[in-house]
Amino acid sequence: MSQLAVMRRGWQNEHLAAFLLSKLAFVANPAKIGDDVGTDFFCTLFDHLDQDGKTYLVPRNSFAIQIKSSGTEIDATKQVDYLIR
């Protein structure tokens, strides 16, 4: 039985988002069993702390995010300042 392309595209976009988010945050996936709670990833932003010749990653702030696969633009300018801080 074949797969629907739309479902696979959404799955691929989730993996792409996880890869991109992992460049700036720790990324965790909630269990996908049962009802869809609307959260695809829990992300924790971190700072680099250089101490004793080693670099440590120190957690700063966490947020939950839902990935959207549609081609429509979403204005996220209000969240940029929050993420920068």
Side-chain angles (χ1 to χ4, degrees):
M1 181 178 215
S2 60
Q3 293 284 328
L4 289 174
V6 174
M7 292 176 66
R8 291 192 52 78
R9 202 171 7 248
W11 179 80
Q12 291 168 344
N13 287 339
E14 273 192 36
H15 284 282
L16 175 60
F19 170 74
L20 295 172
L21 287 167
S22 71
K23 298 294 186 181
L24 60 111
F26 298 118
V27 179
N29 300 53
K32 304 264 184 194
I33 299 170
D35 293 334
D36 185 1
V37 296
T39 298
D40 292 317
F41 303 113
F42 292 106
C43 302
T44 301
L45 301 173
F46 55 85
D47 281 331
H48 294 90
L49 174 66
D50 294 318
Q51 189 175 10
D52 302 325
K54 297 179 183 173
T55 302
Y56 297 91
L57 301 178
V58 180
R60 270 188 67 201
N61 202 353
S62 297
F63 60 95
I65 189 168
Q66 182 180 32
I67 306 304
K68 296 294 186 186
S69 298
S70 70
T72 59
E73 288 187 20
I74 298 173
D75 183 15
T77 53
K78 292 186 226 174
Q79 288 78 14
V80 172
D81 287 336
Y82 169 78
L83 290 173
I84 289 173
R85 285 178 284 154

